[in-house]
Amino acid sequence: MTDRYAVLGNPIGHSKSPLIHTEFARSTGQDLGYTAIETPLDGFADTVLGFRASGGRGLNVSLPFKLQAFEIATEPSERARLAGAANCLKFEGERILADNFDGVGLVNDLQRNLGVPLQGKRVLLLGAGGATRGALLPIAAEQPALLSVANRTPEKAHALRHDFAAHVPLQTGGYDTLLGQRFDVVINATSTGLSQEALPLPDGLFAPGALAYDMVYGKGLTPFLRQAKAAGVERVADGVGMLVEQAAEAFLWWRGVRPDPQPVVRQLTVPLV
Ligand code: NAP
């Protein structure tokens, strides 16, 4: 029987996950079906349990349900626990396993697809929401020289320093604290790529040869990437590779087979102009 998987979100019509997983299934010869399910805002748990009851094997979880995905899990991974959020569920009998592959997807995209090793680099994350929470452990595992988080609401960045203190040494603050500092890798993990708002970035933020990375995808040149280009940054990227790489990790977790993400990354990449 064909194994069934799905992505839950609201809205979910824009999701690339069905395309990505269908292509992974084809390229690895796995027999599975994958759909997108528009999930009522007050109906996440019912949708998850209903999908499992009908024989579903696992779920990807998109906005705004990543916190609820963590809460419904009977066995969250360490990185999902630290992030307080999950983007992937796996059903094994009565057990609901949860993991968070966003951060490892980001790191794989930076290092494998974009050829930017993080070891010894000065890395800055803009934003202190779920995406940053998920990214901290995987980035720290690559041993950057510095990992810094700046956020509009500095208290939320400081809270991350507290929550991750046992795992990751973090520099945290508001955007004003970035004045006079330079970074090799600057990652926009705010939602401003969706709202098209600019960030108050100081001059001189980008070191020579820096990479500017916006986690949002499919939006072309976001205000953040435009700011980076205006500051002379030549290497800019959006989050499409992160999306495909986190999907590859989920596929491996569910199926025990690692698909090659590269052809799908190439298929979904749109020029940043
Ligand atoms: P979130 O939890 O809602 O956090 C949003 C963050 O953006 C907060 O730090 C917030 O700051 C900041 N922000 C919002 N509007 C701002 C503004 N006008 N100026 C400055 N900061 C602002 O969102 P998330 O889940 O972390 O997602 C963040 C982004 O990552 C989204 O664009 C999402 O699409 C993207 N993402 C991409 C992937 C992928 O696979 N490529 C995966 C996950 C997420 P305050 O704390 O001050 O409100």
Side-chain angles (χ1 to χ4, degrees), residues 1-263:
M1 199 174 84
T2 300
D3 290 333
R4 291 170 48 238
Y5 297 85
V7 59
L8 305 189
N10 187 331
I12 200 64
H14 65 285
S15 176
K16 305 280 186 216
S17 292
L19 183 156
I20 294 169
H21 283 283
T22 301
E23 180 52 28
F24 284 169
R26 191 200 60 74
S27 64
T28 58
Q30 293 282 305
D31 182 16
L32 63 86
Y34 191 105
T35 52
I37 300 176
E38 181 97 13
T39 304
L41 291 175
D42 60 354
F44 177 74
D46 286 347
T47 307
V48 170
L49 299 178
F51 186 76
R52 181 177 69 169
S54 69
R57 300 287 304 274
L59 290 166
N60 283 130
V61 180
S62 186
L63 293 176
F65 298 119
K66 292 184 183 184
L67 302 184
Q68 291 182 60
F70 169 71
E71 284 161 9
I72 204 170
T74 59
E75 292 174 45
S77 69
E78 172 74 353
R79 60 190 163 196
R81 199 181 56 70
L82 267 167
N87 80 335
C88 199
L89 300 174
K90 180 162 73 170
F91 306 126
E92 291 186 356
E94 287 304 302
R95 300 158 69 211
I96 302 179
L97 285 66
D99 212 328
N100 189 325
F101 297 118
D102 282 340
V104 69
L106 169 69
V107 168
N108 287 350
D109 190 36
L110 291 170
Q111 301 200 136
R112 293 182 188 166
N113 300 333
L114 300 170
V116 178
L118 298 176
Q119 187 173 24
K121 298 283 172 58
R122 292 172 61 87
V123 179
L124 171 62
L125 279 157
L126 305 171
T132 288
R133 277 190 170 268
L136 290 176
L137 280 189
I139 292 177
E142 301 304 321
Q143 300 181 315
L146 171 70
L147 183 50
S148 183
V149 177
N151 194 44
R152 177 177 61 180
T153 311
E155 294 73 23
K156 280 172 69 176
H158 297 322
L160 289 182
R161 190 174 67 211
H162 174 264
D163 293 352
F164 283 78
H167 305 268
V168 185
L170 279 182
Q171 179 188 82
T172 57
Y175 288 97
D176 54 334
T177 61
L178 297 174
L179 194 62
Q181 296 199 65
R182 280 186 157 187
F183 294 90
D184 305 300
V185 178
V186 182
I187 300 162
N188 183 19
T190 74
S191 44
T192 55
L194 300 170
S195 60
Q196 296 292 312
E197 290 165 278
L199 292 164
L201 304 180
D203 291 341
L205 185 69
F206 299 95
L211 171 76
Y213 188 101
D214 202 322
M215 282 194 186
V216 79
Y217 55 89
K219 301 287 178 190
L221 270 185
T222 59
F224 165 71
L225 295 180
R226 281 185 205 284
Q227 282 173 286
K229 282 199 140 190
V233 175
E234 291 178 1
R235 304 201 64 191
V236 298
D238 74 2
V240 70
M242 173 179 173
L243 175 76
V244 179
E245 291 285 351
Q246 66 76 30
E249 294 294 318
F251 195 93
L252 172 63
W253 192 51
W254 288 332
R255 308 299 298 180
V257 182
R258 190 170 216 293
D260 179 5
Q262 295 278 347

